C-alpha cells in the first residue's frame, strides 16, 4: 500500500479516539451557530462580528487589548470587524480614563439589541437540550465545557458577570 492508495474503512474507537463525542461537538456547534448565522447574514456580518458583540456586551468597557486576549486573534483580524461594528453604530469606542491611548469598547442600544437577538435562539437551544438531560446534568455540562478550555485561559471565563462556573 502506498500513501496515495484509498483507505475504505472508517476510523473507529479502536484507533484510540472517542469519535462520538467529537462528532457530537461538531454537530452541536453547527446547529448552535446556525440561527445566529442566519441573523448575522441579514446584516452582512459573520461569526467574528458575533463574538465581538457578545464579549463587548458581556464586559462593557473591555479594552481592545483585552478583547484581543479573549478572542485570541490578531489586531488585523479584529480591526476590520471592529471598524464595521463601530461605523454601523453597534459599538462605540472611547479613550480610557487613565490612559488616553487605551480604547474601551461599549455596546450601543443597537448593539445590545443585536447581541440579544443572536443569544436568544442559542439560549433556547441550550434550555431545550438541558430539559432532555437528566436533572443535575447542567452542572456536569458546564464542568465538561470548562475542562475543554485550556487551563491557563479559564480565568477569562471567571471575569464574565454572573458566571456560574468556578
Amino acid at each position: 500500500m502506498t500513501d496515495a492508495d484509498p483507505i475504505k474503512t472508517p476510523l473507529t474507537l479502536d484507533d484510540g479516539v472517542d469519535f462520538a463525542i467529537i462528532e457530537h461537538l461538531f454537530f452541536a456547534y453547527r446547529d448552535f451557530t446556525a440561527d445566529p448565522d442566519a441573523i448575522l447574514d441579514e446584516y452582512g456580518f459573520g461569526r467574528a462580528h458575533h463574538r465581538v458583540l457578545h464579549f463587548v456586551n458581556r464586559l462593557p468597557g473591555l479594552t481592545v487589548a483585552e478583547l484581543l486576549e479573549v478572542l485570541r486573534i490578531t489586531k488585523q483580524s479584529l480591526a476590520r470587524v471592529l471598524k464595521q461594528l463601530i461605523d454601523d453604530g453597534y459599538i462605540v469606542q472611547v479613550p480610557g480614563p487613565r490612559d488616553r491611548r487605551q480604547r474601551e469598547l461599549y455596546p450601543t442600544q443597537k448593539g445590545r439589541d443585536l447581541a440579544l437577538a443572536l443569544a436568544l435562539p442559542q439560549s433556547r437551544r441550550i434550555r431545550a437540550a438541558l430539559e432532555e438531560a437528566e436533572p443535575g446534568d447542567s452542572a456536569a455540562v458546564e464542568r465538561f465545557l470548562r475542562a475543554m478550555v485550556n487551563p491557563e485561559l479559564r480565568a477569562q471565563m471567571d471575569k464574565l458577570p454572573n458566571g456560574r462556573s468556578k
Side-chain angles (χ1 to χ4, degrees), residues 23-99:
E23 288 157 0
H24 280 83
L25 284 169
F26 279 137
F27 288 121
Y29 181 73
R30 177 199 64 194
D31 293 348
F32 180 73
T33 57
D35 295 323
D37 282 351
I39 296 167
L40 290 162
D41 194 48
E42 294 173 22
Y43 293 84
F45 293 162
R47 289 184 185 163
H49 296 85
H50 185 183
R51 288 188 293 272
V52 169
L53 275 169
H54 175 84
F55 286 106
V56 168
N57 273 279
R58 291 289 288 149
L59 298 165
L62 184 73
T63 66
V64 170
E66 290 167 334
L67 182 59
L68 286 168
E69 184 181 324
V70 167
L71 297 177
R72 297 189 67 160
I73 59 174
T74 65
K75 276 187 192 179
Q76 185 178 6
S77 298
L78 177 61
R80 178 189 61 80
V81 169
L82 189 56
K83 180 180 181 343
Q84 190 175 9
L85 290 169
I86 291 169
D87 289 350
D88 291 352
Y90 294 94
I91 291 176
V92 293
Q93 180 175 263
V94 300
R98 291 176 300 286
D99 183 346

Side-chain angles (χ1 to χ4, degrees), residues 151-164:
E152 68 275 12
L153 301 175
R154 292 177 192 162
Q156 291 177 339
M157 295 186 322
D158 296 334
K159 292 177 184 176
L160 296 170
N162 301 319
R164 290 187 311 266

